[in-house]
């Protein structure tokens, strides 16, 4: 049987957003009565949620793909590739944050594992969007 290297296989998976975590945050926002947000506005980084009027961009970052310091475990196979890939993702996140801030946006990054602390997330977003 033909075996595809893991890095190539993962590269073939097309990003569709992190549905589970994004849906969870949308449920939290609706449940808290926070409205006025839009999904995936065409601004730098295409934030998962944006409050255009208040210029607040919210990203929900998967723990693996964004290298969560608490949850991320480097795969045993092809370690150099994965280390470079995750560090590249982190660099891109910092770059996007800077670009948005220079445009006057406030940026919130929520790690997938932090969605368990919904009260804190809702309070932080409510504080920024009023």
């Amino acid at each position: 049987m033909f075996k595809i290297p893991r890095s190539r296989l993962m590269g073939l998976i097309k990003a569709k957003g992190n549905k589970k975590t994004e849906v969870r945050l949308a449920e939290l926002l609706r449940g808290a009565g926070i409205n006025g947000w839009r999904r995936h506005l065409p601004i730098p980084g295409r934030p998962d949620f944006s409050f255009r009027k208040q210029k607040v961009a919210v990203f929900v970052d998967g723990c693996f793909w964004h290298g969560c310091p608490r949850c991320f475990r480097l795969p045993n196979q092809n370690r150099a590739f994965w280390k470079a890939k995750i560090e590249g993702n982190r660099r891109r996140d910092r770059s996007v944050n800077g670009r948005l801030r220079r445009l006057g946006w406030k940026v919130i990054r929520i790690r997938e594992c932090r969605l368990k602390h919904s009260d804190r997330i809702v309070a932080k977003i409510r504080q920024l969007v009023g």
Side-chain angles (χ1 to χ4, degrees):
M1 181 174 186
F2 178 70
K3 190 170 181 179
I4 298 174
R6 182 181 304 250
S7 59
R8 183 153 183 254
L9 181 64
M10 295 301 277
L12 294 172
I13 298 170
K14 299 301 173 203
K16 294 181 182 174
N18 194 340
K19 291 275 191 200
K20 185 178 174 184
T21 54
E22 289 181 28
V23 168
R24 175 70 179 128
L25 183 57
E27 290 170 350
L28 291 174
L29 294 174
R30 286 186 191 108
I34 298 174
N35 50 29
W37 47 271
R38 295 289 174 258
R39 301 275 307 272
H40 308 287
L41 280 183
I43 60 175
R46 285 187 74 83
D48 299 311
F49 298 86
S50 302
F51 296 85
R52 188 180 296 174
K53 188 171 136 185
Q54 299 90 346
K55 289 188 117 176
V56 173
V58 181
F59 293 89
V60 184
D61 294 339
C63 289
F64 177 80
W65 293 107
H66 296 267
C68 174
R70 296 179 63 175
C71 304
F72 177 72
R73 298 292 175 261
L74 192 62
N76 288 327
Q77 293 183 331
N78 209 356
R79 292 175 75 81
F81 169 83
W82 287 111
K83 186 174 181 180
K85 170 69 175 157
I86 301 305
E87 185 50 44
N89 290 350
R90 288 176 173 169
R91 249 191 325 275
R92 186 189 64 235
D93 292 344
R94 288 189 300 269
S95 173
V96 165
N97 290 354
R99 288 175 63 197
L100 285 169
R101 287 184 179 124
R102 284 189 295 279
L103 293 170
W105 287 76
K106 295 177 188 106
V107 179
I108 301 173
R109 287 202 173 264
I110 302 167
R111 295 202 184 273
E112 175 183 14
C113 62
R114 304 302 288 174
L115 283 172
K116 298 172 194 164
H117 306 286
S118 58
D119 52 337
R120 292 182 196 163
I121 291 168
V122 168
K124 176 74 171 177
I125 294 171
R126 191 181 306 279
Q127 173 188 353
L128 291 176
V129 300

